[in-house]
Amino acid sequence: MGRIAILGGTGPEGIGLGLRFALAGEEVVVGSRAADRAAAAATDMRAKLAGVGCKTPVSGADNAAAIDGADIVVVAFPYSGVADLLPGLVSKLAGKIVLDVINPLTREKKVFALSPVAEGSVAEAIQALLPESFVVAGFKNESAEELVEIGHPAEGDVVVCGDHAEAKATVIALVNRVSNYRAVDAGALLNARFTEGITAMLLNINRRYKAVTSIRVLGLDGEH
Amino acid sequence: MGRIAILGGTGPEGIGLGLRFALAGEEVVVGSRAADRAAAAATDMRAKLAGVGCKTPVSGADNAAAIDGADIVVVAFPYSGVADLLPGLVSKLAGKIVLDVINPLTREKKVFALSPVAEGSVAEAIQALLPESFVVAGFKNESAEELVEIGHPAEGDVVVCGDHAEAKATVIALVNRVSNYRAVDAGALLNARFTEGITAMLLNINRRYKAVTSIRVLGLDGEH
């Protein structure tokens, strides 16, 4: 398999994805602004993985160092990090597959919605910031809460989109190796605006039903 | 059961919904700008329903007349009809449950997306136009293609949202009587912007997979 860097990897979504990628046999490098926090998160993750007999290497580094040698770079920091962190990493990320899992969520009067993003979605904004990177959007709808429960299979469809076919195919292959997820290719990167919206909708559903939900696309296998 | 008017009911989505509502035992009045076109569509629908032994009354009328006596008024015309038709029906629709199934779809270079709607979604725009009506969004993601195949059960989750609890509960009960659909309550009406986006995403997926897809929300029954 390959090596996956997760920038902003010490947050709940980053940790959850890192655990699942490691379980799928991918070497994981947790990236953070502070290398010591990344190393501490990696230590915790290794302990958790050892508990289920998984010995895949997981290490920590600062964000810039984490990128070196990575086949896929996941951006998993909060939305504000797009403007704060990415401009300093443009050249390091050139030529890389950048997997964007960020949702620009807002919460007002207990209702989740999305911050307006001029480019249409976070993924499109990142592609505009990183014109020489291959941005793919995926894992937008998968809750950290479910991802971190590694004793439990994670289920649902991971909608993937992007404008670079080869990079998208690499991410789709990754998704299909992770737990019980199935990748669904929605096509062009602009679909990220819809998958980001699904996250807000699912969070509103979660609150109403006191549940942790995900989505499935019905009808792909001609079952209709 | 009750009586359901479907404004713009001679289009494929309106006809498909009308057939499914009639199968569920709801009296259907097809509305159109032209009463004769509505009557012709109703005649076709009765013939199709008779073919499967369904004798629920289906009739046609012009849009304004269709509203009289309806318990639920479905708006199923193209997005342009919101600005063209609804201003003339404000007082007739006061106090009514208005079920909005419209998606503001665009298609450019074979990619589906949404027209920008200042209010956030068609449903919110309709509620702003009809302040004395009880707007509920639903059936945004259900394809006409699947709805009209009445010999075939229609499956998937119908995400419903709205700011009027009683109207929403009425629509949820309706959804749960239609074919194999399950209603999922997403909460406030602003969630319509996300369900409208899901339609665009599913159409992009349909094109890529040569499929007719719908969605399911996983995890509602605590299966996670």
Side-chain angles (χ1 to χ4, degrees):
Chain A
M1 305 290 156
R3 185 193 285 184
I4 300 179
I6 306 180
L7 310 189
T10 60
E13 189 79 9
I15 288 174
L17 284 170
L19 290 167
R20 297 289 182 170
F21 292 152
L23 282 172
E26 308 288 331
E27 185 182 339
V28 170
V29 183
V30 177
S32 172
R33 286 189 223 221
D36 57 338
R37 272 206 299 146
T43 302
D44 288 350
M45 289 165 71
R46 281 195 306 271
K48 196 159 183 184
L49 290 163
V52 296
C54 171
K55 293 173 180 172
T56 312
V58 176
S59 58
D62 67 67
N63 283 324
I67 296 169
D68 293 325
D71 301 293
I72 297 176
V73 179
V74 180
V75 289
F77 35 70
Y79 175 44
S80 58
V82 172
D84 291 350
L85 295 174
L86 286 182
L89 298 170
V90 174
S91 61
K92 289 219 70 149
L93 289 168
K96 295 277 186 188
I97 298 173
V98 173
L99 173 55
D100 159 43
V101 307
I102 298 169
N103 293 295
L105 294 168
T106 62
R107 190 177 183 184
E108 202 172 321
K109 291 183 188 163
K110 297 187 180 173
V111 178
F112 289 93
L114 298 182
S115 294
V117 179
E119 292 82 358
S121 63
V122 175
E124 292 161 277
I126 290 176
Q127 184 67 80
L129 272 172
L130 305 175
E132 290 180 67
S133 302
F134 308 114
V135 177
V136 178
F139 292 108
K140 293 264 180 184
N141 307 142
E142 287 57 41
S143 74
E145 208 173 331
E146 176 160 314
L147 289 167
V148 297
E149 276 189 48
I150 59 174
H152 205 287
E155 283 187 290
D157 284 341
V158 176
V159 179
V160 175
C161 61
D163 294 333
H164 306 282
E166 208 178 311
K168 189 165 61 173
T170 300
V171 169
I172 286 172
L174 170 66
V175 168
N176 287 328
R177 286 197 298 275
V178 174
S179 198
N180 293 345
Y181 286 130
R182 175 178 70 165
V184 175
D185 181 357
L189 193 65
L190 76 69
N191 285 283
R193 59 187 73 171
F194 310 131
T195 62
E196 292 168 12
I198 289 172
T199 305
M201 182 191 80
L202 291 178
L203 288 170
N204 290 327
I205 290 171
N206 287 353
R207 183 173 155 263
R208 185 158 286 271
Y209 289 84
K210 301 186 196 319
V212 179
T213 58
S214 56
I215 69 152
R216 168 86 67 208
V217 178
L218 304 181
L220 286 181
D221 310 314
E223 69 252 31
H224 274 301
Chain B
M1 304 292 158
R3 185 193 285 185
I4 301 180
I6 305 181
L7 309 190
T10 61
E13 188 79 11
I15 287 173
L17 284 171
L19 291 168
R20 296 289 182 169
F21 292 151
L23 283 172
E26 307 288 331
E27 185 183 340
V28 170
V29 184
V30 177
S32 171
R33 285 189 223 221
D36 57 339
R37 274 206 300 143
T43 301
D44 288 350
M45 289 165 69
R46 281 196 306 270
K48 195 158 184 184
L49 291 163
V52 296
C54 171
K55 295 173 177 170
T56 312
V58 176
S59 59
D62 67 64
N63 282 325
I67 296 168
D68 292 324
D71 302 293
I72 296 176
V73 179
V74 181
V75 289
F77 35 71
Y79 175 44
S80 58
V82 172
D84 290 351
L85 295 173
L86 286 183
L89 298 170
V90 174
S91 62
K92 289 219 69 148
L93 289 169
K96 295 276 187 190
I97 298 173
V98 174
L99 172 55
D100 160 43
V101 307
I102 299 169
N103 293 294
L105 293 169
T106 62
R107 190 178 182 183
E108 202 173 320
K109 294 184 187 163
K110 298 187 179 172
V111 178
F112 289 93
L114 298 182
S115 294
V117 179
E119 293 81 359
S121 64
V122 175
E124 291 160 277
I126 291 176
Q127 184 67 80
L129 271 172
L130 306 175
E132 290 180 67
S133 302
F134 308 113
V135 177
V136 179
F139 292 108
K140 294 263 179 185
N141 308 143
E142 286 59 40
S143 75
E145 209 172 330
E146 175 160 317
L147 288 167
V148 297
E149 275 189 48
I150 60 173
H152 205 288
E155 285 187 287
D157 285 340
V158 176
V159 178
V160 175
C161 60
D163 293 333
H164 305 281
E166 208 178 312
K168 188 165 62 170
T170 300
V171 170
I172 286 172
L174 171 66
V175 169
N176 287 328
R177 286 197 297 274
V178 174
S179 199
N180 293 345
Y181 287 131
R182 175 178 70 164
V184 175
D185 181 356
L189 193 65
L190 75 72
N191 285 283
R193 59 187 72 171
F194 310 131
T195 64
E196 292 167 13
I198 290 173
T199 305
M201 182 191 81
L202 291 178
L203 289 169
N204 290 327
I205 290 172
N206 288 351
R207 180 171 159 267
R208 186 157 284 270
Y209 289 84
K210 303 187 194 317
V212 179
T213 58
S214 57
I215 70 153
R216 169 86 67 207
V217 178
L218 305 181
L220 285 181
D221 310 314
E223 70 251 33
H224 275 300

